[in-house]
Amino acid sequence: MLKTLATVTGTALLTLGMTQTGQAGTLYNGWTYSIDAFDDGSGGEAYEIKGLAVKETTDAIIFSIAGGADLGGVDTEGPTDGNIGWGDLMLNFSGEDYNTAADRGALFGIRFADTNDSGVGGTGLYKVSQAVALYADNNGYGSLRQYYDAGFSRPNTMGDIATEQAAFDYFGELTEVRSNIGEGQPLGALTLLTDQEAAAAGLDFAAFDADAPYTHTVSVDRDLLPKRNFIASIFLECINDGVALFSDREDVPEPSAVGGLIAAGLMVARHLRCRG
């Protein structure tokens, strides 16, 4: 029998991810936010993830990540290639825990950082056939238990996943955290928004005191993803921090065009191209 979030937590689900130890993201100015603890990035500010946000429009789903690492990751001694990159943004529409969904190829993934160690050849939206753990090559933690036992257990430990037990229920306690796409089927391109474009679309991490050195905002075609509630999650490749967001799409207002940004020419998007 497939293990669902309901069997993990022992409580009925009204919406995906609405458990005893989790809550839906906070809706503000058209965006849904999940705000992480501000001091649980192992290694300091460069490895801190402060929040994750999502907004739907008539034709796109826009995600934004606030953190201490730029798009190219963190250059440091220890990793095989001298760099710790962002993991991929993983989307789980299945209603199951993360590992169950990963095992049966039910995850979707957005690779937005083209210098990370993922196995696919370019940026974009993927149907993930294999999710992989890359902590060993990135001088990282082999499990969430190792990460918390190293002294980084905090209240609001992973945004909408608020407690250690909830994180263990969803990602596993002693299992490797599969943070990246190993293999996958490309579904479509993504658009990377500038900070100015994201702000024009209403993004405001500062409203939660979660402004960070870097904000990475990407847009994908809404029609390429299932029309169901989902859990979005992202880690650094070293598992030095992570955040998850529960999107209760019944609570999302009827999508509107991206504030007329495209038509008004205010969103001069940079389309990331796949590497050869």
Side-chain angles (χ1 to χ4, degrees):
M1 181 179 69
L2 293 177
K3 184 167 60 171
T4 67
L5 288 178
T7 62
V8 165
T9 62
T11 185
L13 296 180
L14 296 178
T15 57
L16 179 65
M18 300 290 287
T19 72
Q20 294 170 324
T21 47
Q23 58 186 9
T26 302
L27 186 63
Y28 175 72
N29 200 24
W31 290 77
T32 299
Y33 291 84
S34 173
I35 304 302
D36 188 34
F38 292 165
D39 59 350
D40 61 345
S42 175
E45 183 182 40
Y47 303 95
E48 191 72 64
I49 301 175
K50 289 195 172 181
L52 175 61
V54 63
K55 177 179 181 176
E56 289 197 40
T57 73
T58 52
D59 56 4
I61 301 183
I62 311 172
F63 297 90
S64 188
I65 303 131
D70 70 16
L71 203 61
V74 182
D75 291 332
T76 183
E77 296 181 2
T80 302
D81 61 358
N83 177 274
I84 293 173
W86 284 96
D88 298 316
L89 181 64
M90 296 296 202
L91 309 176
N92 183 1
F93 293 82
S94 72
E96 301 156 351
D97 69 274
Y98 187 87
N99 288 321
T100 300
D103 287 344
R104 68 182 192 86
L107 296 175
F108 292 80
I110 296 174
R111 186 179 186 229
F112 62 93
D114 64 0
T115 61
N116 73 5
D117 298 335
S118 296
V120 290
T123 60
L125 174 66
Y126 289 83
K127 185 70 169 64
V128 181
S129 55
Q130 181 187 38
V132 293
L134 299 175
Y135 71 91
D137 289 337
N138 286 279
N139 199 32
Y141 295 101
S143 68
L144 285 182
R145 170 53 69 192
Q146 287 186 4
Y147 165 68
Y148 292 133
D149 284 352
F152 296 96
S153 177
R154 300 285 189 274
N156 195 38
T157 181
M158 205 172 289
D160 288 348
I161 296 181
T163 68
E164 281 187 24
Q165 189 57 55
F168 295 155
D169 288 344
Y170 185 61
F171 291 106
E173 179 175 358
L174 301 174
T175 56
E176 299 175 336
V177 178
R178 289 177 275 181
S179 58
N180 291 62
I181 305 168
E183 297 179 3
Q185 174 189 355
L187 298 178
L190 59 79
T191 299
L192 181 67
L193 278 65
T194 66
D195 289 346
Q196 292 76 19
E197 291 162 355
L203 182 70
D204 186 9
F205 279 109
F208 302 90
D209 295 323
D211 41 348
Y214 300 97
T215 303
H216 309 299
T217 305
V218 297
S219 173
V220 296
D221 187 336
R222 182 171 176 251
D223 291 337
L224 296 176
L225 291 167
K227 294 177 173 60
R228 299 193 297 272
N229 296 342
F230 62 87
I231 297 179
S233 59
I234 187 165
F235 291 85
L236 278 306
E237 292 178 323
C238 53
I239 318 302
N240 278 28
D241 200 5
V243 65
L245 180 149
F246 299 163
S247 179
D248 180 2
R249 300 175 83 185
E250 294 179 0
D251 286 346
V252 176
E254 188 65 24
S256 59
V258 191
L261 294 177
I262 298 177
L266 297 178
M267 186 157 60
V268 184
R270 299 196 303 273
H271 290 273
L272 302 185
R273 298 184 181 276
C274 297
R275 293 185 295 174

